[in-house]
Amino acid sequence: AACGAGRFLSVSAALRGFCVSTAWRDGVQEALGEAERIDLRSSRVDDAAASVLLPRCPRARVVNLSDCRRITDATAGAVAKACPRLRELNLTGNPHITAAGIDEVVQRCGDLESLFLAGCDRISENLLTPKYARFCDIFDEEEEGPWAA
């Protein structure tokens, strides 16, 4: 899990040490403020933790929250508000994310290019193609997609 300038320090390790000293805290805050990639995959992060962490990452372009099974649309909203330069969001395996949360990300993040939504069971397959196809690679490799003749 990368943490901006502190590439060797995971976000979870950085946050565990957040209370060690003011120098540590200041260093973590600086690293998060510069981070372009936030990788929290498979962590125990929940909406409360995400709402504290994400506003400290305004330069984030890639956010990986795959398999963070305790997050909801509140975290998707926190990403949308805190990361205006977002290009890629991975929410794979998060059963509490809905289309409403994804809609907020799509509306607020004008640079968005990629969404990973596999395993977001509350997002209907019927919505994927009309609403999110431009952000998702939703076709099997054997399929040629809607552009095929």
Side-chain angles (χ1 to χ4, degrees), residues 10-136:
S10 72
V11 171
S12 58
L15 293 177
R16 277 195 307 271
F18 205 70
C19 299
V20 171
S21 72
T22 56
W24 181 272
R25 184 191 67 229
D26 293 346
V28 169
Q29 286 185 320
E30 182 179 339
L32 289 174
E34 297 296 320
E36 291 189 3
R37 295 170 108 26
I38 304 299
D39 189 354
L40 294 168
R41 73 182 125 189
S42 301
S43 69
R44 293 183 181 171
V45 71
D46 59 12
D47 291 333
S51 70
V52 171
L53 174 69
L54 292 168
R56 293 184 165 112
C57 307
R59 294 187 180 180
R61 293 181 162 289
V62 176
V63 176
N64 187 343
L65 293 163
S66 63
D67 295 314
C68 294
R69 302 181 62 80
R70 296 166 45 177
I71 64 171
T72 69
D73 287 342
T75 293
V79 169
K81 290 174 191 149
C83 306
R85 301 162 116 189
L86 188 70
R87 289 184 180 258
E88 179 180 305
L89 178 60
N90 188 337
L91 293 168
T92 300
N94 290 306
H96 305 294
I97 298 294
T98 70
I102 300 306
D103 286 344
E104 187 171 358
V105 171
V106 169
Q107 289 168 5
R108 288 182 176 248
C109 301
D111 293 340
L112 188 68
E113 296 173 356
S114 299
L115 284 169
F116 297 90
L117 303 173
C120 294
D121 298 334
R122 293 189 181 187
I123 300 175
S124 163
E125 287 186 37
N126 296 334
L127 289 177
L128 285 177
T129 300
K131 289 184 94 172
Y132 310 122
R134 71 177 191 238
F135 305 110
C136 302

